[in-house]
């Protein structure tokens, strides 16, 4: 057999439990046993899970600080025919976890990348939140610095889809306080804590209520969190903001109504008919 006849390896992206070890799939275990190498975010952490299930496959560490260096070597191994599985500490790799560079490089090298789906805190949390799930925006972790965090939240203020964030125990209270500040305290929210673990808690209420609950009980600030927020109320298509009305008024002072409404629609993105109606009102006021 020549080198070019040799089959390239397969890169499996394997989801592992987010707490409860029973949540690993039968297929995940089969793949983890069958591959020659498991690339793991933290080998000591993954060894516990693997030992629990009697998986003796060799481990190689791939974390956010060495991923770029290790990727090159792993891709070479895959090209040489070695099957590799990627796991992270918990849940689905690449979801706020390492693996992006490896998957991208493997795909660019023509290697088959196969998902072995399973737990992810994001989906588990959404499935019990009681908030709309037809559209959601996953924002991962908010910035740790307050200024940057508030800027990000302000940019999300008009988003109508359900918002989903990851957060850790030491920032959860500050994060909720900034959400109240930037998005208002009356938004419906769900806080999913320690899912599938002993202290699993799912709290629902307005942002104000959830913040008060956390501040009153420091136990509720411990563990791992998914924060989910109701999206902003959809904008009334007939509503005109002050800036758009000003654009219309300026154009109307120079142009006939029909032309002013058409131009204002192109500038503001609002409906031409709505602007025409508003133009009539402005003309009446003059
Ligand atoms: N790859 C993982 C996944 O698919 O969910 C996420 C990894 S990210 C580094 C870790 C964050 O996920 C935690 O800080 C928390 O926000 C969330 N998370 C992980 N496990 C969780 C759990 N059991 N309950 C609630 N949130 C969890």
């Amino acid at each position: 057999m020549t080198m070019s006849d040799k089959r390239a390896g397969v890169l499996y992206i394997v989801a592992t439990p987010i707490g409860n070890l029973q949540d690993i799939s039968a297929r995940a275990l089969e793949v983890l046993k069958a591959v020659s190498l498991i690339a793991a975010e933290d080998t000591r952490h993954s060894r516990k899970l693997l030992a629990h299930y009697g998986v003796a496959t060799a481990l190689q560490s791939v974390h956010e600080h060495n991923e770029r260096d290790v990727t090159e070597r792993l891709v070479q191994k895959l090209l040489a025919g070695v099957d590799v599985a990627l796991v992270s500490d918990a849940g689905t790799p690449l979801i706020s976890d390492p693996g992006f560079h490896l998957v991208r490089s493997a795909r660019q090298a023509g290697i088959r990348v196969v998902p072995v789906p399973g737990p992810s805190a994001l989906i588990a949390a959404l499935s019990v939140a009681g908030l709309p799930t037809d559209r959601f925006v996953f924002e991962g972790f908010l910035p740790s610095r307050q200024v940057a965090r508030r800027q990000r939240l302000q940019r999300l203020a008009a988003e109508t889809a359900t918002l989903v964030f990851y957060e850790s125990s030491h920032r959860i209270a500050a994060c909720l306080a900034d959400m109240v500040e930037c998005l208002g305290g009356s938004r419906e929210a769900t806080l999913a804590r320690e899912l599938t673990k002993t202290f699993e808690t799912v709290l629902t209420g307005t942002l104000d209520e959830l913040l008060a609950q956390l501040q009153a009980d420091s136990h509720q600030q411990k563990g791992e969190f998914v924060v989910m927020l109701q999206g902003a109320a959809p904008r009334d298509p007939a509503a005109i903001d002050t800036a758009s009305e000003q654009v219309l008024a300026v154009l109307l002072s120079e142009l006939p109504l029909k032309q002013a409404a058409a131009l204002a629609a192109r500038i503001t993105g609002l409906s031409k008919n709505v602007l025409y109606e508003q133009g009539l009102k402005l003309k009446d006021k003059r």
Side-chain angles (χ1 to χ4, degrees), residues 38-277:
I38 298 174
E41 189 184 0
D42 177 344
T43 51
R44 274 192 7 216
H45 180 96
S46 294
R47 204 161 268 138
K48 287 183 203 150
L49 172 79
L50 300 175
H52 181 84
Y53 284 107
V55 178
T57 310
L59 284 163
Q60 145 101 59
S61 120
V62 181
H63 46 71
E64 66 174 311
H65 304 295
N66 73 357
E67 188 184 342
R68 282 168 191 265
D69 297 337
V70 172
T71 287
E72 177 67 32
R73 271 177 276 148
L74 284 177
V75 169
Q76 289 310 318
K77 282 194 175 159
L78 284 156
L79 286 172
V82 176
D83 287 336
V84 177
L86 174 71
V87 297
S88 59
D89 285 355
T92 302
L94 281 88
I95 307 300
S96 294
D97 264 339
F100 165 68
H101 296 292
L102 176 60
V103 168
R104 197 174 171 84
S105 302
R107 295 187 68 81
Q108 280 167 353
I111 288 158
R112 217 174 125 218
V113 184
V114 172
V116 182
S120 184
L122 155 71
I123 301 299
L126 272 174
S127 73
V128 295
L131 289 168
T133 49
D134 53 338
R135 287 174 57 237
F136 62 86
V137 174
F138 175 56
E139 281 289 318
F141 289 94
L142 283 167
S144 52
R145 283 181 45 250
Q146 188 179 53
V147 175
R149 188 162 64 228
R150 288 188 170 191
Q151 277 170 354
R152 175 81 59 84
L153 287 168
Q154 269 144 9
R155 281 209 298 275
L156 290 167
E159 176 56 62
T160 54
T162 295
L163 298 170
V164 189
F165 305 89
Y166 278 169
E167 199 47 86
S168 62
S169 52
H170 53 283
R171 260 198 299 272
I172 188 67
C175 167
L176 285 187
D178 283 344
M179 286 174 173
V180 168
E181 185 69 30
C182 300
L183 310 173
S186 59
R187 279 214 196 187
E188 223 184 288
T190 302
L191 202 56
R193 180 172 81 98
E194 294 288 89
L195 292 175
T196 79
K197 302 187 203 175
T198 313
F199 296 106
E200 176 180 284
T201 318
V202 179
L203 301 176
T204 56
T206 64
L207 265 175
D208 272 337
E209 288 165 351
L210 291 186
L211 179 59
Q213 245 176 305
L214 250 70
Q215 284 167 340
D217 178 1
S218 63
H219 286 108
Q220 291 300 333
Q221 298 185 28
K222 295 200 175 105
E224 299 192 283
F225 297 85
V226 182
V227 184
M228 290 155 289
L229 306 180
Q230 175 189 37
R235 197 165 133 181
D236 175 358
I240 297 186
D241 54 286
T242 323
S244 302
E245 189 170 308
Q246 270 168 1
V247 169
L248 180 65
V250 170
L251 291 170
L252 208 51
S253 65
E254 302 289 334
L255 298 167
L257 173 58
K258 204 171 158 197
Q259 220 178 332
L263 264 182
R266 279 170 59 192
I267 296 167
T268 63
L270 295 174
S271 138
K272 196 160 59 181
N273 291 344
V274 167
L275 288 158
Y276 187 89
E277 290 301 319

